[in-house]
């Protein structure tokens, strides 16, 4: 809207010229405006391995579990670009090949303090490529904000390497709330069980999407409670995607149908995307 006042003719002319140039495509909008108009691309690469491509082209990976993953369609050779790798705890399927990807691509690993030390001392990831973040902290980077939140889950693992005999102690398990340049926000809880803290994160950060835990032995009512807690004072939650499951769940494993029934019983009507491996899903605010 252009407001008129005495003596404002020059301002009016200048404003009209700028508007005309924008409409004509001769004056490009700034990076922030472009980011707002673009989408976040989300790909499920099996288990809890996701690839997010931000509106400005930044690539964020979670839990890059490939070696030893019977469903994995990609290998280390296929991963040529990554900027951040989010590792929530010290379990082998959460760590995956994060160290190898970091050393290959130069990506930074965001992970709790103790696990970060292990990446440097036992896996040879350069110190400059590790961001030590415990629950309650954040990463503000390239227009993206990642909040690190608590997780009700273990963080130890088996053998640290084939030659080491000490288990990994990964410190406090974590989850992540990621807000991209266009404002779209996703909550990736790691492998957390439901905790009432999720209600606070829902109210504070108001995620638009939640990638919920659906492990083979997961109690569907626990999953439904976790989702319901994230809706607390949060009208934004419109998208649900599962993680931590096989492409074809084995007999007896928790299914999307069971989670759907538990959500319906809890009065949560948010749809679940039963994502296909490698398919790109796009989201905007």
């Amino acid at each position: 809207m252009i407001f008129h006042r005495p003596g404002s003719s020059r301002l009016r002319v200048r404003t009209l010229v700028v508007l005309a140039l924008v409409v004509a495509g001769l004056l490009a909008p700034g990076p922030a405006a472009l980011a707002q108009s673009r989408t976040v691309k989300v790909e499920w690469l099996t288990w809890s391995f996701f690839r997010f491509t931000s509106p400005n082209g930044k690539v964020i990976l979670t839990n890059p579990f490939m070696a030893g993953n019977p469903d994995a369609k990609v290998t280390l050779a296929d991963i040529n670009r990554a900027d951040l790798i989010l590792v929530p705890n010290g379990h082998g399927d959460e760590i995956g090949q994060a160290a190898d990807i970091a050393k290959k691509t130069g990506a930074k690993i965001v992970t709790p303090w103790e696990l970060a030390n292990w990446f440097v001392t036992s896996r040879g990831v350069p110190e400059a490529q590790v961001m030590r973040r415990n629950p309650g902290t954040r990463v503000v980077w390239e227009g993206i904000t990642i909040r690190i939140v608590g997780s009700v889950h273990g963080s130890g693992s088996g053998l640290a390497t084939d030659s080491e005999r000490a288990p990994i102690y990964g410190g406090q398990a974590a989850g992540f709330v990621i807000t991209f340049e266009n404002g779209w926000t996703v909550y990736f809880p790691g492998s957390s069980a439901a905790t009432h803290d999720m209600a606070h994160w829902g109210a504070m950060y108001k995620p638009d999407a939640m990638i919920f835990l659906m492990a083979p032995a997961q109690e569907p009512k626990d999953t439904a409670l976790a989702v319901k807690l994230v809706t607390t004072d949060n009208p934004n939650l419109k998208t649900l995607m599962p993680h931590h499951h096989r492409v074809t769940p084995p007999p007896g494993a928790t299914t999307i149908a069971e989670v759907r029934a538990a959500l319906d019983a809890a009065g949560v009507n948010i749809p679940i995307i039963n994502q296909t491996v490698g398919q790109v899903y796009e989201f905007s605010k």
Side-chain angles (χ1 to χ4, degrees):
M1 181 178 295
I2 301 172
F3 295 94
H4 297 273
R5 67 178 186 274
S8 63
S9 58
R10 290 183 180 178
L11 176 61
R12 291 200 307 274
V13 170
R14 185 179 304 162
T15 303
L16 290 170
V17 169
V18 170
L19 289 173
L21 289 172
V22 170
V23 171
L26 300 177
L27 183 62
L34 285 174
Q36 289 291 331
S37 67
R38 293 173 179 163
T39 61
V40 177
K41 297 178 176 63
V42 181
E43 300 167 78
W44 180 55
L45 301 176
T46 73
W47 203 243
S48 54
F49 182 13
F50 284 81
R51 175 163 53 200
F52 300 90
T53 303
S54 82
N56 287 338
K58 303 300 181 183
V59 176
I60 299 175
L61 307 179
T62 66
N63 301 8
F65 176 36
M66 295 177 286
N69 176 354
D71 292 330
K73 303 295 184 184
V74 298
T75 67
L76 180 62
D78 300 314
I79 306 297
N80 297 311
R81 168 75 190 277
D83 295 294
L84 296 178
I85 308 168
L86 310 185
V87 180
N89 64 66
H91 286 189
D93 59 332
E94 314 273 347
I95 293 171
Q97 290 179 268
D100 296 328
I101 294 171
K103 287 186 282 188
K104 177 181 178 181
T105 66
K108 296 179 185 294
I109 298 175
V110 181
T111 195
W113 187 273
E114 292 83 358
L115 192 53
N117 291 339
W118 175 83
F119 274 115
V120 173
T121 60
S122 293
R123 282 293 187 262
V125 178
E127 180 73 38
Q129 286 178 237
V130 175
M131 292 185 176
R132 293 170 168 81
R133 296 293 191 277
N134 283 331
T137 63
R138 68 179 182 174
V139 172
V140 179
W141 174 83
E142 297 288 340
I144 299 167
T145 299
I146 302 171
R147 285 122 176 158
I148 295 80
V149 297
S151 171
V152 180
H153 192 63
S155 190
S157 190
L159 300 180
T161 67
D162 292 339
S163 60
E164 294 174 355
R165 295 301 166 195
I168 298 169
Y169 171 60
Q172 172 66 52
F176 305 95
V177 180
I178 313 167
T179 300
F180 290 91
E181 303 97 322
N182 65 353
W184 188 76
T185 299
V186 59
Y187 172 37
F188 178 71
S191 296
S192 184
T195 168
H196 278 282
D197 289 343
M198 291 173 174
H200 299 297
W201 303 326
M204 284 192 297
Y205 306 131
K206 293 181 169 48
D208 301 282
M210 178 178 178
I211 298 176
F212 65 84
L213 178 65
M214 194 177 74
Q218 190 71 18
E219 166 54 58
K221 290 183 179 181
D222 186 271
T223 295
L225 176 60
V227 174
K228 187 169 185 176
L229 288 166
V230 177
T231 66
T232 303
D233 193 24
N234 175 24
N236 293 351
L237 191 61
K238 298 292 192 299
T239 301
L240 301 175
M241 303 176 85
H243 81 89
H244 229 87
H245 61 291
R246 295 288 307 275
V247 172
T248 302
T254 302
T255 65
I256 287 179
E258 290 178 298
V259 174
R260 179 72 270 159
L263 286 169
D264 291 343
V268 178
N269 299 317
I270 302 168
I272 298 173
I273 296 176
N274 185 8
Q275 65 265 17
T276 300
V277 176
Q279 182 172 333
V280 177
Y281 301 85
E282 299 191 40
F283 301 95
S284 59
K285 189 68 175 175

